[in-house]
Structures are given as C-alpha cells and as structure tokens.
Amino acid sequence: MSVLSAPVIILNPADDVGVARQKISKGEATGYDGLMAKDLIGRGHKVALRAIKSGQEVHKFGQVIGVATSDIEPGQHIHLHNLQMIPSEHEYQLGGSNRDEGLLPVAERRTFMGFDRGPGGVGTRNYIGIISSVNCSATVSRYIADHFNRSGGLEGFDNIDGVVALTHGGGCALNTKSEGYRILTRTIQGYARHPNFGGILMIGLGCETNQIAPILEHYKLAESALLRTMTIQQSGGTRKTIEAAQEIIRDMLPTVNAVKRTEQPLSSLKLALECGGSDGYSGISANPALGVASDLLVRHGGTSVLAETPEIYGAEHLLTRRAVSPAVAEKLLSRIDWWRDYTARNGDELNNNPSYGNKQGGLTTILEKSLGAVAKGGTMPLKAVYEYAEIVTEKGFVFMDTPGYDPAAVTGQVAGGCNVICFTTGRGSVSGFKPAPCIKIATNTEMYDHMDEDMDINCGGVVTGEETIEQAGIRIFEDIIAVASGKKTSSEIYDYGDNEFVPWQVGAIT
C-alpha cells in the first residue's frame, strides 16, 4: 500500500492515534503496520494505533489531547465515548525567544496595491461605513446602506466597494464604567479609523448610554468631511435622518472615489488568522499551511494576528516559549486565567468549547482542537499580546484575546486593524466580515468540492499527500497578496459579509 493511498495519516511517531483520510469500515485495513479497524472510523476521526489503558494519556501531534476513560484496543475508534479532557498543566517557558526571525532585507520584500490613508494605514478595500452607536439606530443605518448598494446610489463611483452598515444588539442598558462598555467603544472606534473605510458616518438614537461624543473625545477622533455623526432624535425622526444621511454620504462619494490603489509594502498588511467549523483535518492541512503563509508575511515585514483564547487553551505553552519577553508570555497566561475565572463564574468550562460540528468532524477535546488551532500562527516569535479590539501596532506575529465565537473574534481583529482575513474551515463556514476581505481555506477536498462557490483555497491535497504543507502555504501567501490588491474573494463575489459585525458582549445588561 502506497503512502498516498494509506487510509490513516500518522502525524507524529509518538502518537497513539492515526487520523482517517476517508471513512474506514469495520474490518478494513488502516494501512498502518497491518492494523485492522475494529469499529467504523469516520473521515477525520481517530483510530487507536496501539493498546491504551484506562487513565492513560493519549497523544496526537506528539502532544497530549486527553486521557482514556476505558481500555482501548488497537483499531478502535477514539472519540467522546472513551476520551476526556484533562487539566492543562505545563511547565511554562516564559518568553525570552531570541531566535532570528528571518526577516528579508527591505529591498527583497513583496508589495501589494492598496489605498494609502496616510497616518491611518493602508486599506485593501475602499468602503464607506455607517456605524450604529446603539441597536435603536440599526434599522435606519441598514436602510441608508441599502439605498446606495441596491438602489443605484453608487452609480458612477466605481472605485467604491460599497456602503457597509455596522449594526449590533447593544449600546444601552450598560454601565459606562464596565468592561463591556470599554470593549464596545474600543470596537467602534477601531472600525471608525479602519483603513478599509474611506468615509464614516456614525448614527445614534440620541438618548442611549453609548453616546457618540464621549467615544470621539476619549479616542481622539475628530469630525471632518469624511467622519460625520448624527442622531435620530436630533434630526427629527427616521425619515428625516435617512434623508440627511443620504446627503452626507453623497457629499463623501467624490472624495472617497478619487482615492486610487498604489504600490505599498507588505508591512502595511495586518492578517487575521481564524478558523471555524473545524474538523479532524484542520490541524493537519489548512491550519499548518496558513502557519506557513503567516511566517512568510512576517518575513516580508507584515503582521499576523492569532486570536480565540479559549481555542489555544491547552496549547498556550507552545506560544509562551515563543514570546520575545517574559512580560509578553505572562500577559498571555493572565488572559488564560481570566477565561478560567470567567467561564467558572458563568457555570461553564473551557473544555466546553468544541462545537457540535467540531465533534462530528472528529475533534474530541479542547486540547486536541487547540493544538491544531495554534498551528495557524506558524513559528515566528510572539511579539505582543493585545486585549480585545486594541489597535495592533507591533509588527510580526501577535496574539489578541478574543472569544472563540468566530464573528465576535474576527470583529475584534478587524477593530484592531486587520485588513485581510484568512479563515480555515473543515465543515464549511461562510461568513464575509466587511470591510475586510475574507479568504476561505478548506481543509479537505470533499467539502471544498461540495461548497466550491463559498471556498477560495483547497488544502485537501495535503491530506491525500498530493501537496506539501509548504506548497499549500505558499499558495495561501500569494492569494493574500492578490486579495489585498483587489482580487475578490468568494464572499465578496456574492456580496456577503453585512451581518458579521458582532462586538463581544461582556458583563451585565440592565
């Protein structure tokens, strides 16, 4: 049996499990040392390579992913019925990484075609944004955006990608001294100054807790011809607000349309690294391939931002050892501690993170999921750790503390300045995330073919052995540059991405 046709993938010689390339029937050969399957092994699921005693640690990726809850025989299926989470306990190496980053000389670094916003950074898209300060102004904001996007309001302004209404379910009934308020306002200001927007209109109701003026004052945002504000109550109601807002945006159109793409260094790119709808192949194909692309971007002077704190739980030691200083490592561990406390206060636990779809795809514990998720971050030193929606200023590989829930996580990364998103998926996530283009990367060929209209890149060749992780990573890197320069992603072709602005809601709502 050839390596390419072997039904089971062995990820590390120390592993106790193999991963099924395809469904393996009971009694069928696994292709590993004469081993026969004793159960039906689903695609992406784990099969025991050797006998495992109850209570024994089980290894995948060369790392512990859980402990056996019963005796397991070689060839048996390993999943929720016989494997459980164990506490994440590691001897942490607290930073001090002095490994050469391998940065390329400036003259050898790649460039892309972007929109130069001066001190505001470089955009990969040219949108106008309408930001609701509160849910009460959401309907009006969407009505205004629809007028321009679907009623011919942008005719003759071909250099503008569209008008985006950023609406949400909060903005009132919260304490202005609370963490939830700080997160919401920090997210709003991050979008207000995002380089993928050429103009911004902020709309409130007027009486809400989340007032626009304090946001502008605290974050040093000044009103101008391309940053305008208004409230429905002050304007005299919904119809009058809509008419006035349309006039404001019409005034912006010529200026925003006049901005052209120019050659820009890759150091102006901030890449959000995300995964959703993960499966048993995520940590084998798309995630490590994206890690290669992340390393390439960093070598060319750019920034990549890993996130989803609950989904690095159990693998955080792999990041702390890459931290450039003990302070960076300790900040990451402090955010893990915050999540332990946060989930306990809410009657939950971090191991509850793997979703139904994750488990259907073969992932059993958060340790297993986290080890695969961390692979998106490549191998470069960890330069900084940011809180949710903080503006990312450090170049290189960094981490942002976010929930594992994809829309909320990416909202934080985009608020931090990410102007391109790479989103790996094994089950088939389809979000769009305006104003940042989102590249969907499939972990396996079956899903890619089945959902080909929504996927951008297929890493299934890594699973079958037809392509190396490095080759797939180079393809992703080249697509990042192309998309940053204007190539439309699948979600953009279908104009998806209007509903993925989801600021993280933390704390009491009264």
Side-chain angles (χ1 to χ4, degrees), residues 15 20 85 98 111 123 156 161 199 209 236 311 323 346 360 369 396 428 488 505:
D15 286 353
M85 172 74 170
N98 58 4
T111 60
D161 290 296
T209 303
E311 297 191 9
N346 288 280
Q360 290 291 102
K369 184 175 180 180
K488 285 187 179 295
Q505 291 192 359

Side-chain angles (χ1 to χ4, degrees), residues 56-137:
Q56 183 178 327
E57 292 181 342
V58 179
H59 295 79
K60 180 182 176 183
F61 307 109
Q63 302 283 337
V64 176
I65 62 169
V67 62
T69 57
S70 62
D71 290 345
I72 302 172
E73 297 180 13
Q76 283 190 321
H77 181 211
I78 294 184
H79 199 33
L80 302 167
H81 60 289
N82 55 11
L83 180 69
Q84 70 178 12
M85 172 74 170
I86 58 174
S88 174
E89 297 177 355
H90 299 285
E91 291 294 328
Y92 292 108
Q93 178 182 328
L94 296 181
S97 173
N98 58 4
R99 184 176 63 81
D100 181 14
E101 295 184 52
L103 294 179
L104 294 172
V106 174
E108 297 178 17
R109 296 181 189 178
R110 299 282 295 278
T111 60
F112 73 104
M113 300 299 291
F115 297 99
D116 190 353
R117 311 290 188 193
V122 177
T124 62
R125 294 296 182 267
N126 194 31
Y127 284 102
I128 291 174
I130 303 171
I131 302 178
S132 299
S133 65
V134 64
N135 180 255
C136 307
S137 59

Side-chain angles (χ1 to χ4, degrees), residues 101-412:
E101 295 184 52
L103 294 179
L104 294 172
V106 174
E108 297 178 17
R109 296 181 189 178
R110 299 282 295 278
T111 60
F112 73 104
M113 300 299 291
F115 297 99
D116 190 353
R117 311 290 188 193
V122 177
T124 62
R125 294 296 182 267
N126 194 31
Y127 284 102
I128 291 174
I130 303 171
I131 302 178
S132 299
S133 65
V134 64
N135 180 255
C136 307
S137 59
T139 298
V140 163
S141 298
R142 288 191 179 280
Y143 197 101
I144 297 162
D146 284 345
H147 166 76
F148 288 96
N149 294 326
R150 311 191 194 286
S151 304
L154 292 177
E155 187 173 346
F157 299 98
D158 297 338
N159 200 37
I160 298 176
D161 290 296
V163 178
V164 181
L166 300 168
T167 62
H168 55 95
C172 204
L174 74 168
N175 186 341
T176 57
K177 299 187 185 325
S178 68
E179 188 170 25
Y181 174 77
R182 290 193 297 273
I183 286 175
L184 177 59
T185 57
R186 194 161 65 221
T187 303
I188 287 174
Q189 69 87 29
Y191 274 75
R193 63 187 355 132
H194 197 282
N196 283 8
F197 285 125
I200 289 288
L201 172 61
M202 301 177 72
I203 302 179
L205 175 61
C207 60
E208 65 270 16
T209 303
N210 186 35
Q211 291 287 301
I212 294 174
I215 298 175
L216 300 185
E217 180 180 2
H218 181 77
Y219 292 103
K220 297 180 173 54
L221 292 167
E223 285 204 58
S224 66
L226 296 175
L227 175 56
R228 301 288 300 276
T229 69
M230 63 192 306
T231 69
I232 295 170
Q233 292 169 350
Q234 186 179 41
S235 300
T238 56
R239 184 181 60 80
K240 292 177 182 178
T241 301
I242 290 167
E243 290 176 350
Q246 289 173 351
E247 189 60 34
I248 288 171
I249 292 176
R250 276 193 288 269
D251 289 343
M252 291 182 183
L253 293 178
T255 303
V256 176
N257 191 66
V259 180
K260 305 297 181 185
R261 291 184 183 271
T262 56
E263 188 173 11
Q264 301 294 328
L266 283 193
S267 58
S268 297
L269 283 188
K270 295 179 183 178
L271 177 68
L273 308 171
E274 188 69 17
C275 59
S278 300
D279 69 352
Y281 296 133
S282 295
I284 299 169
S285 61
N287 286 2
L290 180 53
V292 170
S294 171
D295 285 351
L296 286 170
L297 178 62
V298 170
R299 291 190 66 207
H300 284 265
T303 301
S304 62
V305 185
L306 185 65
E308 300 183 288
T309 313
E311 297 191 9
I312 67 160
Y313 177 62
E316 64 270 17
H317 62 293
L318 301 179
L319 294 176
T320 60
R321 70 178 57 164
R322 290 162 53 188
V324 296
S325 71
V328 171
E330 287 165 356
K331 186 171 182 180
L332 178 62
L333 294 177
S334 75
R335 299 316 299 167
I336 295 284
D337 288 340
W338 183 94
W339 274 96
R340 286 195 184 99
D341 179 65
Y342 178 65
T343 52
R345 290 198 318 265
N346 288 280
D348 206 343
E349 58 176 344
L350 283 175
N351 190 44
N352 193 43
N353 176 274
S355 69
Y356 171 82
N358 296 155
K359 293 171 182 178
Q360 290 291 102
L363 297 175
T364 307
T365 68
I366 187 58
L367 299 182
E368 181 181 8
K369 184 175 180 180
S370 293
L371 289 164
V374 165
K376 300 192 303 292
T379 63
M380 291 298 183
L382 177 65
K383 302 292 285 296
V385 174
Y386 292 91
E387 293 192 24
Y388 186 86
E390 276 192 301
I391 300 296
V392 174
T393 57
E394 190 73 48
K395 303 293 185 185
F397 172 60
V398 303
F399 183 84
M400 178 177 284
D401 178 29
T402 76
Y405 180 49
D406 303 330
V410 177
T411 295

Side-chain angles (χ1 to χ4, degrees), residues 8 16-20 22-27 30 35-50 52 58 68-83 280 358-364 368:
V8 166
D16 302 301
V17 302
V19 179
Q22 299 291 340
K23 182 176 72 173
I24 303 174
S25 300
K26 182 178 180 179
T30 66
L35 181 67
M36 309 297 285
K38 293 190 175 180
D39 303 306
L40 173 67
I41 313 296
R43 185 169 64 90
H45 282 244
K46 298 178 290 296
V47 59
L49 301 180
R50 55 186 62 90
I52 302 169
V58 179
T69 57
S70 62
D71 290 345
I72 302 172
E73 297 180 13
Q76 283 190 321
H77 181 211
I78 294 184
H79 199 33
L80 302 167
H81 60 289
N82 55 11
L83 180 69
N358 296 155
K359 293 171 182 178
Q360 290 291 102
L363 297 175
T364 307
E368 181 181 8

